[in-house]
């Protein structure tokens, strides 16, 4: 593997990690928003708070990891994407800011009215953020980001591929979150809530699946390079994603929630890997390849050192954190 | 007379002088978001160490007061960390959005320190999660150790960010050949010779800001008559941190200033308000530059040469030695620099006085004027930190990378539409500030009312309350 490809792979691992871990956090906002009145939704909202509270900060850092590797490893393409996609990126950023702040504020809010206000901001921004990040992915994948950064500031992300990308991102996040929350609800003994969430997660899964299939139609002429990749090299991943998605639905249906989480993660990881493999060797589709976009060799080597170090020093404590959140002690009510 | 010739001549002059229309709003945008983030970053760097000391004391001495304080501080730090993390994310977007000319060309030169900063931040976020939710859920001795990585990674992260800033002041690790960046040596950027001193200055500043701010909260409590062990301990631990930092800072700052006359003579001239080169140079207190003349300053002879040049008569090189187009905004740089030094000196003197009197058996905590001063010391430290940052950043202008890349060439080709962004950002940051203040105050109020553990806003008793919307 060439140096720049290794860095691109490390970058893409970050994209997948953010989509899976951050995505599940974002999706929790969807269920939070649709949980009903304060009284009816209290149980679910407490569950959301409890299950993403310890991990959302760490899950959020994947985005920073992606940005930093991108601008360090492939600086010109980063500047180009930022310039062309300034609008959806700013809207996503607004969502990130409002979401992070209001989630923290809600936890310590003084009154129910305050908690409700912060809660609405948190949940709404949890939906708009993945939508706009999805449109960014669609813009890059459909070859709408020129390397000189002069792409149209509107049509680059208001187009079939981008809009489908946004909707699919929201749906995928919600589906992931649903699967995770169902399992959390049952583990902490909220059986009635788990049953309710199960039905809604199945609904979200069915809707998202339908959108993904519908997206295949416009993709052929709106993003031909990506479509060719998806039908060719990335076809096995696309099939895997479909099977894992279906499998998750079956497992949810039969109430095998613990396994369903694994297949749900697999489905999302496969979709994203399909995107990556499908658009290879392009970094910005039809504009610049990974090879040509790469920065200085010494810097790429340095980045791989940083990534190697991350594997050694970040992964163990991260695994410890996740293990703790799944343990019996942490399922106890908060202090 | 408005002859066509005059009009074309004026237009031609304007065209050459005119800055890109997006430059001013982009700079203001960066100033707002970085100036806001920097305060929270200080808490991220310094607060964990204070929590660690307090928590450790709680365990070692079986001190319930100390444990209670550590627990509350942890909850406060959770709120501050959350908004610090999102405002930090804003900055990583803005690097590319606002300064494509910098990131597109120099991204691979300056990027590596950010990668390590990202690593450090990752660890900080993970251990924050473990620590916050670990209360009562893991053995006490292991739990207290979970703060330590946060204290260490805060330091590493700050070093990395300061390494990039130091690089912008003293660029290294690459060569420009016919306008192309070559021979990139990213490790040289990470370990550039200026990074450590700049980091040390900022790091100590973070302890001052956090220490005085936290101590100030308890000073206010004492002013209102709450003079229990809780308040005394809550004051003392952060005040000790702040004291050590405050007396160290003038030395660190002085060492950092060595060689500034060679590194960035324009910045030094602006700091010292040296319009012309004078031998020996005076120290100018206050004053502004109007039409090339210094007005309203109090000049202390010799002191400028002594402090800036470490010599009784060596002159501070004046602005007259530097081409006009390379002058930074002199007045803002000078006043910001003096504000930082002035407040820093005041705070150092105050802590020396406090500990000196304490040795002599006099407790200034019994004096209302001293408590009032400590209450103001937190905001003062914030002002000093912001002023120091303005001094170094504005003093570097018109360069974004000193002597290599002008800020005008780094900015994106956005038009005045960036003013909209600035307006929206101002609203969002204001709302976030109000939200944080409201939430922190309500936490404090409930703690005072005797709630050791804050109830979840959705706990059954809250949810069971009558529906407001009904």
């Amino acid at each position: 593997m060439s140096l720049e490809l290794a860095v691109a792979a490390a970058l893409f691992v970050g994209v997948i990690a953010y989509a899976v871990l951050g995505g599940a956090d974002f999706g929790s906002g969807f269920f939070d928003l649709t949980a009903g009145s304060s009284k009816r939704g209290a149980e679910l909202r407490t569950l959301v708070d409890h299950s993403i509270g310890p991990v959302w900060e760490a899950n959020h850092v994947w985005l920073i990891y992606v940005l930093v590797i991108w601008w360090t490893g492939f600086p010109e393409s980063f500047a180009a994407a930022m310039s062309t996609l300034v609008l959806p990126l700013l809207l996503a950023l607004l969502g990130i800011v409002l979401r992070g702040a209001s989630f923290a504020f809600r936890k310590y809010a003084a009154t129910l009215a305050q908690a409700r206000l912060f809660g609405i901001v948190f949940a709404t921004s949890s939906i708009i953020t993945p939508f706009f990040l999805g449109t960014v992915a669609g813009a890059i994948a459909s070859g709408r980001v020129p390397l000189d950064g002069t792409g149209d500031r509107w049509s680059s992300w208001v187009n079939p591929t981008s809009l489908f990308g946004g909707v699919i991102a929201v749906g995928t996040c919600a589906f992931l979150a649903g699967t995770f929350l169902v399992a959390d609800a049952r583990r902490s003994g909220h059986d009635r809530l788990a049953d309710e969430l199960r039905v809604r997660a199945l609904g979200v899964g069915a809707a998202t699946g339908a959108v993904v299939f519908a997206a295949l139609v416009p993709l052929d002429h709106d993003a031909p390079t990506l479509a060719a990749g998806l039908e060719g090299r990335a076809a096995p991943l696309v099939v895997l994603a479909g099977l894992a998605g279906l499998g998750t639905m079956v497992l949810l249906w039969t109430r095998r929630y613990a396994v369903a989480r694994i297949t749900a993660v697999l489905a999302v990881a496969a979709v994203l890997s399909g995107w990556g493999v499908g658009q290879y060797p392009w970094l910005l589709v039809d504009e610049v390849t990974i090879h040509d976009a790469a920065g200085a060799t010494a810097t790429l080597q340095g980045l791989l050192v940083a990534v190697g170090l991350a594997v050694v020093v970040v992964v163990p404590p991260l695994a410890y954190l996740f293990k703790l959140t799944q343990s019996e002690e942490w399922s106890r009510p908060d202090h | 007379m408005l002859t066509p010739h005059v009009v074309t001549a004026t237009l031609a002059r304007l065209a050459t002088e005119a800055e890109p229309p997006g430059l001013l709003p982009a700079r203001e945008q960066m100033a707002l978001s970085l100036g806001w983030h920097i305060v929270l970053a200080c808490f991220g760097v310094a607060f964990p160490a204070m929590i660690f000391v307090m928590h450790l004391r709680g365990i070692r001495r079986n001190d319930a007061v100390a444990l209670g304080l550590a627990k509350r501080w942890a909850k406060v730090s959770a709120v501050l960390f959350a908004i610090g993390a999102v405002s930090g994310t804003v900055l990583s977007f803005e690097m590319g959005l606002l300064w494509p000319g910098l990131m597109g060309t120099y991204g691979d030169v300056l990027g590596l320190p950010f990668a390590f900063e990202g690593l450090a931040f990752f660890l900080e976020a993970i251990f924050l999660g473990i620590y916050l939710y670990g209360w009562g859920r893991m053995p006490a001795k292991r739990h207290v150790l979970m703060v330590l990585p946060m204290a260490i990674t805060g330091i590493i992260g700050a070093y990395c960010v300061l390494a990039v800033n130091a690089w912008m002041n003293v660029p290294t690790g690459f060569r420009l050949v016919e306008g192309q960046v070559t021979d990139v040596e990213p490790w040289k950027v990470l370990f550039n010779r200026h990074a450590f001193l700049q980091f040390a200055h900022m790091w100590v500043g973070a302890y001052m800001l956090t220490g005085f701010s936290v101590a100030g909260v308890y000073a206010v409590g004492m002013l209102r008559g709450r003079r229990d062990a809780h308040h005394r301990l809550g004051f003392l631990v952060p005040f000790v941190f702040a004291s050590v930092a405050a007396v160290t800072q003038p030395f660190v700052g002085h060492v950092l200033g060595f060689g500034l006359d060679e590194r960035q003579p324009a910045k030094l001239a602006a700091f010292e308000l040296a319009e012309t080169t004078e031998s020996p140079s005076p120290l100018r207190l206050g004053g502004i530059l109007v039409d090339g003349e210094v007005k309203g300053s109090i000049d202390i002879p010799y002191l400028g040469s002594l402090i800036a040049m470490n010599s009784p008569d060596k002159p501070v090189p004046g602005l007259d030695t530097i081409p006009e187009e390379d002058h930074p905004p002199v007045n803002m740089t000078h006043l910001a620099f003096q504000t930082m030094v002035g407040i820093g000196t005041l705070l150092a003197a105050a802590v020396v006085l406090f500990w000196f009197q304490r040795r002599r058996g006099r407790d200034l905590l019994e004096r209302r004027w001293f408590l009032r001063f400590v209450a103001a010391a937190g905001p003062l430290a914030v002002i000093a930190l912001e002023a120091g940052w303005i001094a170094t950043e504005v003093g570097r202008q018109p360069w974004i990378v000193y002597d290599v890349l002008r800020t005008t060439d780094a900015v994106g080709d956005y038009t005045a539409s960036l003013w909209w962004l600035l307006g929206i950002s101002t609203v969002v940051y204001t709302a976030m500030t109000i939200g944080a203040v409201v939430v922190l105050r309500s936490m404090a109020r409930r703690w005072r009312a005797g709630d050791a553990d804050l109830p979840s806003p959705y706990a059954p008793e809250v949810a069971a309350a009558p529906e407001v919307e009904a």
Side-chain angles (χ1 to χ4, degrees):
Chain A
M1 202 191 302
S2 67
L3 193 58
E4 58 269 17
L5 194 58
V7 173
L11 172 72
F12 210 73
V13 167
V15 173
I16 293 174
Y18 184 55
V20 169
L21 300 167
D25 293 353
F26 281 122
S28 302
F30 169 81
F31 287 97
D32 198 292
L33 188 68
T34 51
S37 69
S38 347
K39 196 171 184 174
R40 219 180 87 75
E43 194 183 5
L44 175 57
R45 293 199 174 100
T46 308
L47 179 72
V48 167
D49 207 87
H50 196 81
S51 70
I52 71 175
V55 292
W56 81 269
E57 295 271 21
N59 291 343
H60 165 83
V61 185
W62 286 107
L63 174 64
I64 296 172
Y65 167 96
V66 168
L67 291 175
V68 168
I69 296 206
W70 190 3
W71 86 45
T72 310
F74 310 96
E76 210 181 341
S77 66
F78 172 77
M82 285 281 165
S83 293
T84 296
L85 298 171
V86 55
L87 291 171
L89 283 168
L90 283 176
L91 290 165
L93 183 59
L94 181 70
I96 288 168
V97 171
L98 292 177
R99 174 177 180 275
S102 54
F103 181 69
F105 292 164
R106 178 173 82 162
K107 187 171 172 54
Y108 300 107
T111 61
L112 187 58
Q114 261 185 32
R116 188 185 284 154
L117 173 70
F118 291 134
I120 290 170
V121 176
F122 156 71
T124 315
S125 48
S126 296
I127 292 173
I128 67 167
T129 305
F131 176 80
F132 287 112
L133 290 177
T135 65
V136 166
I140 293 170
S142 59
R144 286 181 163 96
V145 181
L147 190 57
D148 62 1
T150 56
D152 189 276
R153 294 220 167 111
W154 287 98
S155 69
S156 57
W157 63 281
V158 184
N159 60 70
T161 309
S162 287
L163 296 178
F164 268 111
V167 175
I168 291 171
V170 173
T172 316
C173 290
F175 185 52
L176 261 177
T179 323
F180 277 63
L181 287 172
V182 171
D184 279 353
R186 185 160 71 184
R187 188 162 43 81
S188 56
H190 297 78
D191 289 335
R192 194 187 51 78
L193 182 63
D195 278 345
E196 231 173 81
L197 279 168
R198 165 179 168 268
V199 176
R200 294 173 59 199
L202 282 168
V204 168
T208 308
V211 175
V212 170
F213 273 103
L216 294 176
V217 180
L219 214 58
D220 253 336
H221 62 265
D222 193 54
T225 306
L226 175 70
L230 288 177
E231 287 155 20
R233 194 183 315 110
L237 286 163
V238 174
V239 173
L240 175 65
L243 288 176
L246 265 179
T248 312
M249 300 282 280
V250 172
L251 289 164
L252 280 176
W253 185 266
T254 54
R255 294 190 165 80
R256 278 175 286 177
Y257 303 142
V259 198
R261 289 197 293 195
I262 297 168
T263 53
V265 168
L266 188 66
V268 176
V271 167
L272 282 155
S273 310
W275 165 37
V277 172
Q279 77 162 52
Y280 178 84
W282 299 105
L283 183 71
L284 301 175
V285 169
D286 298 335
E287 288 290 334
V288 67
T289 61
I290 291 170
H291 177 78
D292 292 336
T297 304
T299 305
L300 296 179
Q301 287 164 345
L303 270 181
L304 287 183
V305 172
V307 170
L309 204 61
V311 173
V312 179
V313 301
V314 172
V315 171
L318 192 62
Y320 181 52
L321 173 64
F322 285 138
K323 186 172 158 270
L324 282 173
T325 57
Q326 303 300 318
S327 70
E328 201 52 43
E329 290 82 17
W330 285 48
S331 299
R332 286 206 307 260
D334 199 18
H335 281 253
Chain B
M1 285 295 286
L2 208 64
T3 62
H5 175 73
V6 172
V7 172
T8 39
T10 313
L11 282 178
R13 188 168 53 81
L14 278 178
T16 49
E17 279 179 10
E19 294 176 332
L23 181 65
L24 189 58
R27 291 190 61 190
E28 299 302 322
Q29 175 76 28
M30 200 70 191
L32 169 71
S33 42
L34 195 49
W36 201 85
H37 177 74
I38 207 169
V39 176
L40 295 161
C42 284
F43 275 90
V45 169
F47 212 8
M50 295 174 201
I51 296 174
F52 178 72
V53 168
M54 194 58 97
H55 194 161
L56 197 65
R57 181 188 164 104
I59 291 179
R60 285 259 169 91
R61 305 192 182 182
N62 208 5
D63 180 345
V65 172
L67 270 181
L69 277 162
K71 204 166 171 178
R72 288 182 188 187
W73 288 359
K75 292 193 173 179
V76 170
S77 78
V79 173
L80 297 178
F81 193 89
I83 54 180
V86 293
S87 59
T89 312
V90 170
L91 291 171
S92 45
F93 274 88
E94 282 179 350
M95 292 290 281
L97 288 172
L98 301 175
W99 314 109
L102 171 68
M103 299 312 285
T105 315
Y106 292 96
D108 56 347
V109 182
L110 61 80
L112 197 61
F114 280 121
F116 286 99
E117 195 267 343
L119 261 182
F121 182 65
F122 220 143
L123 284 170
E124 195 167 356
I126 292 168
F127 281 98
L128 180 80
I130 296 177
Y131 182 66
L132 275 181
Y133 286 79
W135 289 98
R137 295 191 176 113
M138 58 167 68
K141 277 187 183 151
R142 195 197 307 166
H143 185 216
V144 69
L145 289 179
M146 297 295 133
V147 189
L148 218 45
M150 290 170 65
I152 296 164
T153 52
I155 293 168
I156 296 172
Y159 172 82
C160 291
V161 172
L162 268 298
V164 177
N165 190 271
W167 173 83
M168 292 164 95
N169 281 305
V170 192
T172 178
F174 68 98
R175 280 196 318 132
L176 269 181
V177 181
E178 289 165 11
Q180 294 295 313
V181 177
T182 60
D183 297 342
V184 175
E185 296 177 77
W187 299 100
K188 260 194 177 169
V189 177
L190 181 60
F191 298 110
N192 75 75
R193 66 192 162 88
H194 204 52
F196 183 75
L197 282 175
Q198 259 199 250
F199 154 74
H201 198 46
M202 179 73 207
W203 182 44
V204 175
Y207 277 96
M208 286 176 69
L209 186 150
T210 310
F212 282 120
S213 299
V214 178
V217 170
Y218 295 93
V220 170
M222 287 190 240
L223 274 172
R224 291 182 181 160
R226 292 188 276 272
R227 291 194 163 268
D228 43 17
H230 173 85
H231 278 80
R232 289 193 82 89
L233 191 60
F235 171 86
L236 209 60
V237 170
F239 192 74
V240 168
F241 274 99
S243 297
V244 175
V247 294
T248 315
Q249 190 67 302
F251 297 103
V252 178
H254 187 62
V255 175
L256 175 64
F258 279 164
L260 189 61
D261 58 316
E262 281 166 19
R263 244 173 11 242
Q264 294 179 323
K267 187 186 268 184
L268 179 64
F271 278 178
E272 303 294 322
L273 204 61
E275 162 57 19
T276 50
T277 311
E278 292 173 57
S279 175
S281 299
L283 178 70
R284 296 219 153 91
L285 295 178
I288 50 167
L289 201 61
V290 184
D291 295 330
E293 269 184 63
V294 178
K295 299 243 164 97
S297 70
I298 301 166
D299 290 7
I300 305 172
Y302 296 100
L303 214 51
S305 286
L306 268 179
I307 293 178
M309 312 299 291
N310 270 346
S311 142
D313 55 356
K314 210 169 149 197
V316 172
L319 285 163
D320 54 353
T321 60
I322 295 148
E324 183 84 29
E325 69 269 20
D326 289 349
H327 285 195
V330 176
N331 288 326
M332 192 197 257
T333 309
H334 170 68
L335 293 175
F337 177 71
Q338 293 218 321
T339 304
M340 171 189 77
V341 173
I343 294 176
T345 310
L346 176 70
L347 292 174
V351 299
V352 169
L353 177 73
F354 174 85
W355 293 108
F356 181 69
Q357 293 286 34
R358 198 175 156 101
R359 261 191 87 88
R360 296 177 52 189
R362 289 179 200 159
D363 188 0
L364 289 184
L365 291 183
E366 301 300 327
R367 303 293 168 92
R368 293 187 71 81
W369 63 265
F370 185 78
L371 290 175
R372 284 202 194 97
F373 175 80
V374 178
L380 280 175
V382 172
I383 293 170
L385 191 100
E386 297 281 3
W389 165 68
I390 289 169
T392 189
E393 297 296 283
V394 175
R396 189 180 63 232
Q397 302 304 322
W399 305 100
I400 191 166
V401 182
Y402 189 73
D403 232 2
V404 173
L405 180 68
R406 280 179 187 268
T407 315
T408 44
D409 298 326
V411 74
D413 67 341
Y414 311 111
T415 52
S417 60
L418 276 184
W419 287 109
W420 276 101
L421 177 63
L422 182 60
I424 295 166
S425 306
T426 310
V427 172
V428 171
Y429 276 91
T430 308
M432 210 153 47
T433 310
I434 294 171
V437 171
V438 165
V439 168
L440 290 175
R441 282 178 66 107
S442 76
M443 282 162 83
R445 208 167 37 240
R446 278 183 288 168
W447 279 328
R448 271 204 300 282
D451 281 334
D453 300 315
L454 302 181
S456 152
Y458 328 97
E461 63 270 23
V462 179
E467 287 281 49
V468 185
E469 67 197 353

